[in-house]
């Protein structure tokens, strides 16, 4: 059977999608799990500027009998938009949704107004259900029968039968990762992915996490479990990605530092295999990086260039609330270890907790600045479906946007605090990020050492030009004028199936009356925002 799998293009608005285009790994793993079928992967992040044309082109090129759409909660609106285009193109195509959101919210989708867009939902890890679903549909087509016989035995599948949704039980046992074939990266329709001009591929060495973080949706997908691939299989995957043209590898494990000796051994194997001439990106915990300086030295030798570090917050009250433990000191050590070894740090922080005031938020950005963290991934705590955080925030009456999931990506304020409105949170996040952003300051030493020529150009040409241009162009802008312009631009970046501009129905991302507090009336130049 011909199957076409779409990955959604939505990202956080502050991701620079023009420079960095990251591929979807999960759908290539699904393609590899169904070797008896012709499966093509269409990653719509390659067609962000013409989504409708991209979907049409993929449908006409592949001529599928089955279409899958995969995504997270904030991508569900786009998943529905793609499904509508498929229905309009050919109403007889079977459409299936999978990923985090359909796993966590399958009953709500089945009972909601979008249920007619989908024929099937695949929950949990698709490598178990997807090939069996294609096999079953192939038999039904061959018999030219509309019976759903055979579907009831596929674990983790939801399907419609005589107008009613049937939700099969989840798989009895978790997937053995070492039974999986290597991802079929050649199944991609548009293989255009890169980071800073280098071809990029994603690799996973494990799945799951045993941590009890309240804000995370992972437990709903895997449970609180952790499973590992055999390291030789990981090495084979890196080798295959390299043969496919990759020069940058992103390890996307949920928590690769849960097993430090194993990560250390992986570094040794990459060196022994001659893969230390490539560049690597990884996400890691502050504990794992902060408490293991020897590992970080080895990471640098292998070629790890960038590490996303889960700092989360520096306030002990908020860390306890998130069940993270008091990791602020470990975060300091982790940043120091990374910088000593010339590894760029992306610091992840979460603000907007129930007791937060501005004086609780500002120190997080000052911490990142004082420790010369190169890039910030700052998020406002989000009430993701089926998380402990959502239940807590709803109970406290802090959720201001309970069900418009388009804005559930961490960028937008969907909550308030006891002292700050959603609008206040959105403004403060924007203000402090802009004040400390690399867009308006020279790069730290780590970036300058890795990219000396571009850093010199940026320091002595681009930054002076940008400052001169902005001060001339926005000389009479208040803080709020600049904020509104930035937020409107951010809103438009991922609205692929929404036509109304934000000023007509949005308050910085969700329905609230727009207002301009008097304290935001300073000129942007005076506030240090230009």
């Amino acid at each position: 059977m011909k199957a076409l799998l779409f990955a959604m293009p939505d990202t956080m608005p502050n991701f620079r999608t023009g420079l960095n285009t990251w591929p979807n790994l999960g759908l290539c793993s699904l393609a590899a799990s169904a070797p008896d079928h012709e499966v093509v992967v269409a990653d719509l992040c390659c067609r962000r500027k013409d989504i409708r044309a991209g979907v049409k082109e993929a449908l006409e090129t592949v001529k599928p009998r089955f279409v899958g759409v995969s995504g997270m909660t904030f991508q569900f609106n786009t998943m529905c938009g793609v499904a509508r285009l498929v229905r309009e193109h050919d109403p007889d195509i079977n459409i299936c949704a999978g990923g985090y959101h359909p796993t966590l919210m399958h009953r709500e989708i089945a009972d909601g107004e979008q249920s007619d867009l989908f024929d099937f939902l695949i929950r949990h890890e698709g490598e178990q259900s997807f090939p069996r679903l294609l096999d079953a549909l192939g038999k039904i087509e061959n018999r030219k029968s509309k019976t759903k016989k055979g579907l009831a035995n596929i674990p983790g599948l939801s399907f419609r039968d005589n107008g009613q949704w049937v939700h099969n039980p989840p798989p009895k046992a978790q997937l053995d990762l070492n039974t999986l074939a290597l991802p079929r990266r050649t199944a991609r329709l548009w293989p255009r992915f890169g980071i800073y001009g280098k071809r990029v591929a994603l690799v996973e060495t494990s799945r799951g996490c045993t941590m009890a973080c309240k804000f995370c949706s992972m437990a709903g997908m895997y449970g609180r479990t952790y499973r590992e691939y055999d390291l030789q299989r990981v090495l084979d995957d890196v080798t295959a990605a390299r043969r496919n043209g990759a020069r940058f590898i992103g390890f996307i494990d949920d928590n690769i530092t849960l097993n430090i000796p194993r990560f250390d051994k992986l570094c040794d194997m990459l060196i022994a295999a001659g893969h230390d001439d490539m560049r690597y990106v990884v996400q890691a915990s502050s504990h794992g990086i902060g408490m293991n300086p020897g590992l970080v030295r080895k990471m640098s030798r292998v070629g790890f260039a960038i590490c996303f570090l889960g700092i989360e917050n520096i306030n002990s009250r908020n860390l306890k609330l998130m069940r993270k433990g008091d990791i602020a000191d470990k975060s300091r050590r982790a940043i120091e270890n990374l910088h000593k070894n010339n590894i760029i740090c992306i610091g992840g922080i979460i603000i907007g907790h129930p007791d937060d005031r501005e004086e609780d938020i500002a120190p997080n950005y000052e911490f990142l600045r004082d420790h010369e963290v190169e890039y910030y991934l700052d998020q406002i705590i989000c009430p993701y479906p089926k998380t402990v955080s959502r239940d807590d925030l709803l109970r406290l009456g802090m959720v201001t946007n309970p069900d418009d999931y388009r804005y559930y990506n961490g960028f937008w304020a969907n909550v308030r605090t006891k002292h700050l409105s959603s609008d206040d949170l959105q403004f403060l996040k924007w203000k402090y990020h802009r004040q400390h952003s690399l867009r308006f300051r020279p790069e730290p030493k780590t970036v300058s050492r890795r990219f000396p020529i571009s850093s010199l150009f940026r320091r002595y040409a681009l930054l002076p030009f940008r400052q001169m241009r902005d001060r001339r162009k926005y000389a009479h802008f208040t803080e709020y004028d600049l904020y509104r312009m930035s937020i409107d631009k951010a809103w438009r970046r991922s609205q692929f199936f929404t036509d109304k501009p934000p000023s007509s129905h949005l308050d910085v991302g969700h329905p609230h009356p727009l207002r301009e507090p008097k304290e935001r009336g300073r000129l942007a130049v005076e506030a240090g925002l230009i």
Side-chain angles (χ1 to χ4, degrees), residues 251-264:
F251 288 110
I252 58 168
D253 297 45
D254 301 305
N255 194 342
I256 198 170
T257 48
L258 275 179
N259 188 340
I260 294 297
R262 177 175 179 272
F263 190 13
D264 190 281

Side-chain angles (χ1 to χ4, degrees), residues 123-259:
R123 309 177 333 258
H124 305 286
E125 293 167 298
E127 290 97 343
Q128 298 189 75
S129 308
F130 175 65
R132 293 181 62 178
L133 175 58
L134 292 188
D135 290 344
L137 292 177
K139 292 177 182 177
I140 291 171
E141 275 199 354
N142 291 337
R143 295 171 184 165
K144 297 183 179 180
S145 169
K146 294 185 178 180
T147 179
K148 299 298 176 71
K149 186 178 179 180
L151 298 181
N153 297 322
I154 301 175
L157 179 69
S158 298
F159 62 97
R160 286 190 294 171
D161 189 12
N162 294 323
Q164 299 295 317
W165 277 91
V166 177
H167 302 288
N168 294 346
K172 293 181 180 179
Q174 284 203 311
L175 183 65
D176 180 356
L177 299 183
N178 291 308
T179 64
L180 296 180
L182 293 180
R184 196 195 300 170
R185 295 182 177 89
T186 55
R188 292 183 176 125
L189 184 62
W190 306 303
R192 301 190 296 269
F193 305 99
I195 172 172
Y196 299 117
K198 294 181 182 292
R199 186 82 173 267
V200 66
L202 301 183
V203 172
E204 62 178 356
T205 84
S206 64
R207 287 185 187 176
C209 179
T210 57
M211 305 296 286
C213 306
K214 294 169 67 173
F215 55 83
C216 185
S217 303
M218 200 178 305
M221 188 73 168
Y222 304 126
R224 283 180 61 185
T225 63
Y226 172 73
R227 291 161 294 150
E228 299 172 340
Y229 290 92
D230 182 80
L231 285 181
Q232 184 57 52
R233 194 263 191 196
V234 176
L235 190 64
D236 292 343
D237 199 13
V238 172
T239 303
R242 180 171 187 153
R243 285 201 204 101
N244 201 40
R247 290 297 174 266
F248 226 113
I249 298 290
F251 288 110
I252 58 168
D253 297 45
D254 301 305
N255 194 342
I256 198 170
T257 48
L258 275 179
N259 188 340

Side-chain angles (χ1 to χ4, degrees), residues 4-133:
L4 175 62
L5 307 180
F6 285 106
M8 297 303 105
D10 316 62
T11 65
M12 289 181 68
N14 48 348
F15 280 1
R16 300 180 68 183
T17 54
L19 284 177
N20 305 320
T21 306
W22 295 87
N24 183 291
L25 178 65
L27 296 185
C28 292
S29 184
L30 288 188
S33 74
D36 297 329
H37 301 273
E38 186 179 339
V39 183
V40 177
V41 175
D43 204 321
L44 290 171
C45 70
C46 296
R47 303 297 296 267
R48 286 178 58 86
K49 294 182 179 179
D50 57 348
I51 292 297
R52 289 176 171 84
V55 172
K56 182 179 180 182
E57 177 187 312
L59 291 170
E60 292 177 347
T61 300
V62 179
K63 296 179 174 57
R65 300 309 307 148
F66 177 97
V67 166
V69 291
S70 177
M72 303 180 76
T73 293
F74 73 95
Q75 298 171 321
F76 184 63
N77 185 67
T78 305
M79 291 169 66
C80 292
V82 172
R84 289 189 189 95
L85 293 178
V86 176
R87 282 273 185 257
E88 293 169 5
H89 178 82
D90 185 347
D92 294 328
I93 292 177
N94 289 298
I95 303 178
C96 177
Y100 265 88
H101 191 71
T103 295
L104 298 171
M105 301 288 285
H106 57 279
R107 295 190 184 278
E108 289 82 355
I109 293 172
D111 295 337
E113 59 184 21
Q114 304 97 340
S115 65
D116 289 343
L117 293 173
F118 307 107
D119 302 296
F120 306 98
L121 305 174
I122 287 181
R123 309 177 333 258
H124 305 286
E125 293 167 298
E127 290 97 343
Q128 298 189 75
S129 308
F130 175 65
R132 293 181 62 178
L133 175 58

Side-chain angles (χ1 to χ4, degrees), residues 429-494:
K429 176 183 179 295
W430 168 82
K431 182 180 78 169
Y432 285 113
H433 186 100
R434 187 177 177 93
Q435 283 179 342
H436 300 301
S437 171
L438 268 182
R439 178 177 170 82
F440 304 100
R441 62 183 173 90
E443 287 123 331
K445 295 177 183 177
T446 309
V447 179
S448 299
R449 287 195 293 264
R450 283 201 171 273
F451 308 105
I453 297 175
S454 62
S455 293
L456 285 172
F457 171 76
R458 191 175 178 280
R459 180 187 291 262
Y460 296 109
L462 186 59
L463 278 179
F465 167 77
R466 185 179 286 160
Q467 289 171 348
M468 180 179 65
R469 181 202 62 189
D470 287 357
R471 290 188 178 189
R472 179 177 299 174
K473 190 174 182 179
Y474 306 124
H476 302 295
F477 272 46
T478 66
E479 290 177 285
Y480 187 78
D481 294 331
L482 201 60
Y483 162 66
R484 183 71 222 197
M485 181 186 71
S486 300
I487 290 300
D488 284 0
K489 184 178 180 180
W491 183 86
R492 295 175 192 277
R493 284 179 184 158
S494 290

Side-chain angles (χ1 to χ4, degrees), residues 303-319:
F304 280 87
I306 302 172
C307 177
F308 170 77
L309 194 66
I311 297 169
E312 316 304 8
N313 205 277
I314 65 164
N315 185 302
S316 58
R317 179 196 67 223
N318 289 334
L319 288 170

